[in-house]
């Protein structure tokens, strides 16, 4: 428990520096400068909002392809029947009306880092002083033989919330009692390290009530996974015998799929699936790749203090697309990075020094409606880049009474409310 107290101490300190009020008295304005933000997810929306909060004289244009934003956080709960799609839908109204962000609903098609311009699908071109790129992830479609965008209509990834989530849910609803759900979990690095295992838990919750003879097989490219001991203890308690995990060393890496035969081919065995959820290996969002912001592994190297690209100066890459040291690819981390980048950008526009940075992340996962677990940490700059502050967090303890897990499940609901309000509210 002392680690939790330490964590609160650290987050308390970091949080004080991050409240909107804390920025209000900030110094000179960077009047008339223009920041363009690509992507209105956790990273981009936060950054746009906080730049305006730090300095309302900066003009901020947010380019977002979708009219509304559906959060991946809690999309697994939709599969479990605990949430509706409506309840994970956010809009951009408050960013426009309360924070004065110019939200443009279209796709950014091309960035010219030399001319400092962004071309839009509408035909318009925007000039920027600083650009923020927070496009999330793209999928490495060539990594699993037979798995491409068309195959994803039969074997959904559901790793971007929206139509894919609904499709996976429908497939689970149509499956017979006694069916096999195969989940393919990708290699590191990928969006939301605990996500595939929370997904297995939420699908198990649904199956236990409606199709209790069914099984879930997780084929994993990795030899271990986030919060593994806690997940597996939760599965034993709530869903005994229902979930099987096959890690990389036991041949878990998925090599190929056949959507006609509904077959998933792993390194050692071939598995017949009634429902297949294939989560492919990932890279930074397309616009980051097309602009040459990524390295040969597909993610974007940045200065850990400012999140400015190491490849194209003047462009800040945040969220899942960035290489952010020990910070995981999570919505909470993207929100935290958005705030730090906002501070760095305003400082640069004013010709001031970049303030010190500190990041925070908490990831709750639900194993059942009243069974939550979490991992939390505070992160600071070290000589190795962004590193976790020792003793600042950690995972939930093992062997605790049921009411402890129930309390963590309640905290997860509170977390969702506050992070979405902080990002889009
Ligand atoms: P995104 O949130 O993906 O936002 C990118 C946005 O950019 C999108 O809205 C997209 O439309 C837009 N865009 C992309 N390209 C363009 C373009 N060219 N022009 C205009 N717009 C563009 N994180 C947590 O912290 N807690 C959780 O509990 C959690 N649960 C998860 C569960 C699942 C199943 C999954 C898949 C993820 C989960 N995550 C969770 C991770 C979280 O969703 C991501 O880390 C987060 O969304 C990253 O934010 P981002 O801003 O980098 O990208």
């Amino acid at each position: 428990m002392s680690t939790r107290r330490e964590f609160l101490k650290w987050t308390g300190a970091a949080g004080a520096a991050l409240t909107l009020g804390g920025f209000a008295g900030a110094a000179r304005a960077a009047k008339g400068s223009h920041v363009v933000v690509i992507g209105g997810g956790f990273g981009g929306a936060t950054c746009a909002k906080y730049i305006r909060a730090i300095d309302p004289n900066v003009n901020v244009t947010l380019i977002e392809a979708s009219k509304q934003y559906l959060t991946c956080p809690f999309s697994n709960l939709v599969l479990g029947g605990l949430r509706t799609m409506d309840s994970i839908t956010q809009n951009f109204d408050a960013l426009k009306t309360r924070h004065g962000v110019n939200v443009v609903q279209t796709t950014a098609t091309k960035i010219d880092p030399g001319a400092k311009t962004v071309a839009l699908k509408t035909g318009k071109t925007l000039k920027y002083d600083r650009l923020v790129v927070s496009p999330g992830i793209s999928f490495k479609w060539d990594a699993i033989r037979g798995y491409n965008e068309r195959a994803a209509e039969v074997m959904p990834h559901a790793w971007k919330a929206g139509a894919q989530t609904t499709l996976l849910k429908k497939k689970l609803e149509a499956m017979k009692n006694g069916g096999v759900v195969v989940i393919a979990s990708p290699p590191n690095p990928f969006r939301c390290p605990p996500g595939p295992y929370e997904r297995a838990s939420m699908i198990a919750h649904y199956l236990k009530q409606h199709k209790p003879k069914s099984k879930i097989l997780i084929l994993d490219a990795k030899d271990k996974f986030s919060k593994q001991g806690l997940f597996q203890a939760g599965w034993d308690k709530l869903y005994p015998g229902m979930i099987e995990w096959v890690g990389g060393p036991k041949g878990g890496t998925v090599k190929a799929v056949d959507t006609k035969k509904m077959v998933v081919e792993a390194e050692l065995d071939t598995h017949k699936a009634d429902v297949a959820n294939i989560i492919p290996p990932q890279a930074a969002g397309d616009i980051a790749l097309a602009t040459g912001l990524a390295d040969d592994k597909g993610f974007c190297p940045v200065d850990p203090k400012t999140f400015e690209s190491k490849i194209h100066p003047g462009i800040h890459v945040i969220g899942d697309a960035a290489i952010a040291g020990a910070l995981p690819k999570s919505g909470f981390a993207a929100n935290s990075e958005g705030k730090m980048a906002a501070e760095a950008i305003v400082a640069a526009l004013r010709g001031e020094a970049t303030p010190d940075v500190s990041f925070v992340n908490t990831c709750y996962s639900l194993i059942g409606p009243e069974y939550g677990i979490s991992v939390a940490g505070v992160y600071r700059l070290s000589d190795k880049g962004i590193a976790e502050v020792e003793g600042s967090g950690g995972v939930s303890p093992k062997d605790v009474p049921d009411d402890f897990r129930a309390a963590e499940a309640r905290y997860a609901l509170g977390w969702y409310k506050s992070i979405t309000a902080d990002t889009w509210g």
Side-chain angles (χ1 to χ4, degrees), residues 12-66:
L18 293 174
T19 54
L20 291 177
F23 286 129
R28 283 166 296 122
K31 205 166 182 152
S33 36
H34 188 209
V35 178
V36 174
V37 180
I38 299 176
F42 282 93
T46 305
C47 193
K49 170 175 164 176
Y50 274 82
I51 289 173
R52 295 278 308 159
I54 301 166
D55 192 336
N57 289 307
V58 180
N59 299 314
V60 178
T61 303
L62 174 66
I63 311 298
E64 167 52 52
S66 306

Side-chain angles (χ1 to χ4, degrees), residues 232-399:
Q232 287 177 326
W235 295 342
D236 285 346
K237 187 174 164 88
L238 300 182
Y239 317 111
M242 191 181 257
I243 302 174
E244 185 188 351
W245 176 75
V246 180
K250 297 236 162 102
T253 306
V254 170
K255 296 282 172 201
V257 296
D258 183 331
T259 52
K260 286 214 177 77
K261 295 187 182 149
M262 281 303 287
V263 156
V264 180
E265 196 187 304
E267 225 153 31
L268 296 182
D269 280 309
T270 297
H271 305 270
K272 182 101 179 73
D274 294 283
V275 173
N277 168 213
I278 307 295
I279 307 165
Q282 294 154 31
D286 290 329
I287 188 85
L289 299 180
T291 312
L293 287 160
D295 66 11
D296 56 354
K297 295 201 183 77
F299 288 98
C300 304
V302 293
D303 174 340
K305 196 166 183 192
T306 59
F307 279 73
E308 186 166 3
S309 164
K310 286 185 173 167
I311 297 170
H312 290 306
I315 301 180
H316 300 252
V317 184
I318 58 173
D320 288 353
I323 300 170
L327 276 170
K329 297 193 184 301
S330 77
F332 201 153
N335 169 285
S336 198
E337 292 162 25
K339 289 170 185 169
M340 293 303 134
E343 283 217 66
I345 287 166
V346 173
L349 292 171
R350 290 172 173 171
E352 293 171 357
T354 310
D356 280 343
V357 290
S358 138
F359 305 89
V360 59
N361 180 65
T362 307
C363 264
Y364 289 98
S365 302
L366 285 197
I367 299 180
E370 293 188 3
Y371 196 114
I373 57 173
S374 64
V375 58
V378 175
Y379 300 78
R380 293 241 163 94
L381 277 192
S382 74
D383 48 7
K384 291 190 205 94
I386 298 171
E388 189 168 348
V389 175
E390 229 183 285
S392 66
V395 294
S396 318
K398 284 184 192 158
D399 304 325

Side-chain angles (χ1 to χ4, degrees), residues 70 78 83-90:
L70 280 96
V78 173
R83 282 257 164 165
T84 60
M85 291 298 277
D86 268 358
S87 76
I88 60 164
T89 304
Q90 309 296 327

Side-chain angles (χ1 to χ4, degrees), residues 56-317:
N57 289 307
V58 180
N59 299 314
V60 178
T61 303
L62 174 66
I63 311 298
E64 167 52 52
S66 306
K67 204 166 167 197
Q68 292 176 312
Y69 177 86
L70 280 96
T71 64
C72 285
F74 280 20
S75 64
N76 286 332
L77 278 59
V78 173
L79 301 174
L82 305 182
R83 282 257 164 165
T84 60
M85 291 298 277
D86 268 358
S87 76
I88 60 164
T89 304
Q90 309 296 327
N91 67 55
F92 300 99
D93 294 351
L95 284 180
K96 290 185 218 168
T97 56
R98 202 174 298 156
H99 306 292
V101 175
N102 177 28
V103 181
V104 181
Q105 196 228 316
T106 187
T107 302
T109 51
K110 194 172 188 303
I111 298 166
D112 183 335
K116 291 191 161 188
T117 57
V118 179
L120 306 181
K121 201 175 171 188
T122 53
K124 236 179 141 179
T125 297
L126 300 178
K127 194 136 180 48
Y128 63 80
D129 296 298
R130 291 262 157 180
L131 176 66
V132 178
V133 176
S134 187
I137 50 158
S138 63
F139 297 113
K140 292 184 172 170
W141 292 115
D142 54 353
I144 296 174
R145 198 158 20 91
Y147 197 67
N148 51 30
E149 273 181 283
R150 261 186 45 214
E153 292 304 309
V154 183
M155 298 181 167
H157 53 74
W159 220 239
K160 291 186 184 184
Q164 278 275 310
T165 316
T166 309
L167 182 65
L168 181 55
K169 186 169 164 57
K170 281 198 177 133
K171 290 192 178 286
L172 292 167
E173 285 165 357
M175 190 182 82
K176 64 176 187 224
N177 187 7
V180 176
V181 180
V182 175
I183 300 175
S185 186
N188 292 319
F190 70 106
R191 159 175 285 184
C192 195
Y197 317 99
E198 181 189 62
R199 172 161 294 171
S201 310
M202 286 291 99
I203 292 178
H205 173 69
Y206 166 76
L207 295 176
K208 188 179 171 183
Q209 296 166 78
H210 301 284
K211 305 165 197 215
K213 290 185 196 148
S214 309
K215 298 261 184 251
I216 299 168
L217 173 64
I218 307 172
L219 297 172
D220 209 325
K222 301 177 289 301
D223 57 358
K224 56 181 195 277
F225 61 87
S226 169
K227 299 183 255 186
Q228 181 164 355
L230 293 170
F231 271 114
Q232 287 177 326
W235 295 342
D236 285 346
K237 187 174 164 88
L238 300 182
Y239 317 111
M242 191 181 257
I243 302 174
E244 185 188 351
W245 176 75
V246 180
K250 297 236 162 102
T253 306
V254 170
K255 296 282 172 201
V257 296
D258 183 331
T259 52
K260 286 214 177 77
K261 295 187 182 149
M262 281 303 287
V263 156
V264 180
E265 196 187 304
E267 225 153 31
L268 296 182
D269 280 309
T270 297
H271 305 270
K272 182 101 179 73
D274 294 283
V275 173
N277 168 213
I278 307 295
I279 307 165
Q282 294 154 31
D286 290 329
I287 188 85
L289 299 180
T291 312
L293 287 160
D295 66 11
D296 56 354
K297 295 201 183 77
F299 288 98
C300 304
V302 293
D303 174 340
K305 196 166 183 192
T306 59
F307 279 73
E308 186 166 3
S309 164
K310 286 185 173 167
I311 297 170
H312 290 306
I315 301 180
H316 300 252
V317 184

